[in-house]
Amino acid sequence: MEEFIKNWETAGGEILTTIPKGWYVIEGKFGIIESGAVWVEEYNKEMFLSEKLAIKMPKKFVNNMEEAMELIENSGIFISGPSKTADVESFLVYGAHGPFKCGIYFI
Amino acid sequence: MKHYKLAIKFYKEKGPRHDKNLWNIRQKRDKAIKEIDKWEQLRTKASEIKEYVIEHLEELIEEFTKNAKKQGIEVYYAKTKQEHNEIILKLLKEKKAKKVVKSKSMLTEECDLNEFLKENKIEVIDTDLGERIVQLRGEKPSHIVLPAIHTTKEEVAKILNETNSDPTYLTHKMRKLLREEFLTSKAAITGANFLIADKGFAVVCTNEGNADLGVTLNKLHIISVGIDKLLPSIKDLGIFLRMLARNATGQKITTYTTIFGKPTNQKRVIILVDNGRIKRKKSEFKETLKCIRCSACLTTCPVFRRSGGHAYRYIIPGPIGSLLAPLVDKEEYKDLPFACTLCGSCEMVCPVKIPFSKQLINMRKYVTKNKIMKIAEKSIHSDKTFKLFSLILRLTPKPLLQKAFKEWSKYKKLPNIPQKRFISL
């Protein structure tokens, strides 16, 4: 779990202890330690239009993407931190098109 | 204008900074792959999967089509880029779509889709920030993952009529402008990084979320994708997702990796594009079909880093572009396989082990029509004729030789002419 959190934070993600007001909440299924990503089966416009996104998820993890594939049956999305880009002179900026902030709230 | 002339021009203006930015990314990539203890085994697996895909391409197309249809996805097969563009036009007309948002897709660039739709009075908005920058500048991407890597923040400020050139400010300004376009579009076009034959899924990787925003806001989602993006099964996808972002930008994974299957409340269409790929499968350059467009070969290439992508003039530049472009137009791009020092760096970083050095040498042969060069190449491989050549060159006065090889001797001293072949020393 520690390594997952480290990798998630490297991707610009946060760990939430409460869900602050105004954050759009979705449900995550499990985390991928090596990638610092969360598997999410919801898929709607609010997830990308909102400025702050909270992912509620259980403390369930797989080691890497190869293990993750065993658990995937239908469509969905891996999310790793907030939307980002480095297209203006290689300078990393959060909030390219999607959320500026993205946090995990463990249940 | 040929590669070296454009390269000299670019290097004088922007070369050192471009080189430094790309080298930073290469270093990040090296760090990221070291975090995976069995990287070389992953490369071997990835390479084997891709070899399997090339050998079974036709069957996999069939399997994918069947499974994607089961998911409720409409599937088209386009033999040529014209066919691809016509299918898209038909779909957009059915939806009466006058504006379409597009996320980055090298395939639609390969098909000149933007120009085609513009002629048909449909507005295409590129939504990847880098690609939007080059679209507003009236250019093409100079790098397949970092489309605007050749531009400065001042240049970006200029196209937005801004005096503030702070990257965060400019990025958020672009976000605001593009948000308007997203909300008024009628269809979304994306590419795909992978197609999963056993499930009928298409997989799209982005950092910005532009593909997802376009897809979730529109009733029509068109995926344009080359048939070389097929993978046999979802198990294989895991291997490639471990590698792609690490090898491309040094990230552990892209921010968003979307697996598209059954559509909800929208129409999803996949256009499988051949455009010369089946023909390439039967050629000596079939191994180029293994490419997953990670861009690591561009980023590491000492020539690319100094020349910039536009010097290659083809939509896919760098080492992989030097193999693909001459297959599209042999005469126009015959200089590209020579824009290379054969250092082999591309081959070292390639996640699917494309044998670049061998292929680039073969491509040099492929583009060399000149009979004299061919005879020269043949004779230089025989000891006797080599000796004769050597004698003639050694007897020629140096200034005359320098004149004959003036492009070469502009930057380097002419070497002493050896008397024996390297191999016979």
Side-chain angles (χ1 to χ4, degrees), chain B residues 63-99:
Chain B
E63 191 190 348
F64 175 82
T65 306
K66 192 183 82 199
N67 290 326
K69 281 181 177 166
K70 266 193 215 159
Q71 298 273 359
I73 302 173
E74 254 181 51
V75 185
Y76 289 86
Y77 188 85
K79 188 103 187 68
T80 60
K81 62 180 194 180
Q82 289 80 8
E83 270 182 46
H84 163 265
N85 293 349
E86 290 293 344
I87 294 167
I88 291 198
L89 181 64
K90 183 186 85 122
L91 292 163
L92 294 177
K93 276 188 171 166
E94 276 169 16
K95 270 271 179 265
K96 297 195 172 58
K98 285 278 164 206
K99 187 193 281 185

Side-chain angles (χ1 to χ4, degrees), chain B residues 145-392:
Chain B
V145 169
L146 315 156
I149 186 80
H150 63 288
T151 60
T152 61
K153 56 186 194 292
E154 288 77 19
E155 285 170 335
V156 178
K158 201 177 153 202
I159 49 160
L160 297 176
N161 288 323
E162 290 285 342
T163 45
N164 185 347
S165 62
D166 173 60
T168 306
Y169 174 81
L170 291 171
T171 300
H172 291 153
K173 170 90 190 195
M174 294 274 282
R175 171 194 169 104
K176 214 173 138 195
L177 293 170
L178 282 165
R179 189 54 77 87
E180 291 297 311
E181 307 286 2
F182 274 114
L183 294 170
T184 51
S185 62
K186 291 282 178 262
I189 299 175
T190 70
N193 297 79
F194 306 101
L195 296 173
I196 314 299
D198 70 343
K199 296 274 184 184
F201 292 154
V203 184
V204 177
C205 309
T206 78
N207 277 319
E208 300 182 2
N210 54 322
D212 299 290
L213 198 52
V215 172
T216 51
L217 283 170
N218 280 292
K219 289 279 177 215
L220 173 63
H221 174 204
I222 302 170
I223 301 175
S224 285
V225 57
I227 49 177
D228 48 326
K229 295 291 177 77
L230 276 158
L231 292 179
S233 97
I234 189 143
K235 281 191 185 138
D236 304 316
L237 177 65
I239 293 166
F240 287 91
L241 290 183
R242 292 180 78 188
M243 301 179 85
L244 179 63
R246 284 181 195 267
N247 213 48
T249 58
Q251 290 173 270
K252 296 173 208 308
I253 191 160
T254 49
T255 306
Y256 303 108
T257 304
T258 316
I259 299 186
F260 288 109
K262 204 181 199 60
T264 43
N265 298 324
Q266 72 181 160
K267 178 166 155 168
R268 180 162 296 135
V269 180
I270 294 185
I271 309 174
L272 299 172
V273 183
D274 173 347
N275 202 28
R277 285 164 176 77
I278 294 283
K279 196 178 146 205
R280 204 180 341 141
K281 179 192 152 158
K282 292 165 190 152
S283 80
E284 60 180 315
F285 300 107
K286 70 171 179 185
E287 277 155 311
T288 56
L289 287 166
K290 290 163 87 178
C291 177
I292 59 168
R293 303 286 189 271
C294 72
S295 81
C297 63
L298 281 62
T299 303
T300 198
C301 176
V303 177
F304 180 92
R305 280 189 274 119
R306 289 163 178 84
S307 75
H310 288 151
Y312 294 80
R313 299 146 3 248
Y314 184 61
I315 189 60
I316 298 176
I320 185 67
S322 301
L323 293 174
L324 298 176
L327 296 173
V328 175
D329 189 334
K330 197 176 184 175
E331 192 50 38
E332 173 63 28
Y333 300 116
K334 65 180 178 189
D335 56 319
L336 294 189
F338 297 93
C340 161
T341 62
L342 293 176
C343 74
S345 186
C346 43
E347 198 165 320
M348 297 294 290
V349 299
C350 179
V352 289
K353 296 190 177 183
I354 296 174
F356 276 100
S357 307
K358 200 181 95 207
Q359 296 261 284
L360 282 159
I361 290 173
N362 287 347
M363 188 50 82
R364 289 178 179 188
K365 289 183 189 156
Y366 176 82
V367 297
T368 307
K369 266 193 297 192
N370 194 325
K371 267 193 189 153
I372 296 172
M373 284 301 283
K374 280 202 171 153
I375 294 167
E377 199 218 335
K378 236 184 186 169
S379 45
I380 223 150
H381 286 121
S382 119
D383 281 334
K384 269 189 195 159
T385 43
F386 185 91
K387 271 185 191 158
L388 182 68
F389 267 129
S390 167
L391 188 68
I392 296 168

Side-chain angles (χ1 to χ4, degrees), chain A residues 8-89:
Chain A
W8 170 258
E9 287 176 340
T10 306
E14 301 169 32
I15 300 296
L16 304 170
T17 46
T18 55
I19 295 179
K21 225 179 151 189
W23 287 53
Y24 187 75
V25 185
I26 57 171
E27 194 189 313
K29 296 289 176 191
F30 59 87
I32 299 91
I33 296 173
E34 185 183 86
S35 317
V38 184
W39 173 244
V40 173
E41 287 174 358
E42 280 173 59
Y43 193 65
N44 56 52
K45 62 183 177 194
E46 287 78 14
M47 288 162 62
F48 305 101
L49 285 169
S50 60
E51 298 196 348
K52 292 162 187 165
L53 181 70
I55 307 176
K56 253 165 67 173
M57 66 173 279
K59 286 178 182 165
K60 186 181 162 193
F61 302 98
V62 295
N63 285 312
N64 58 46
M65 277 295 176
E66 285 178 77
E67 290 181 26
M69 290 305 138
E70 314 256 328
L71 304 175
I72 288 173
E73 283 164 9
N74 290 307
S75 21
I77 181 167
F78 292 102
I79 298 180
S80 179
S83 153
K84 55 183 92 62
T85 184
D87 276 339
V88 181
E89 218 172 286

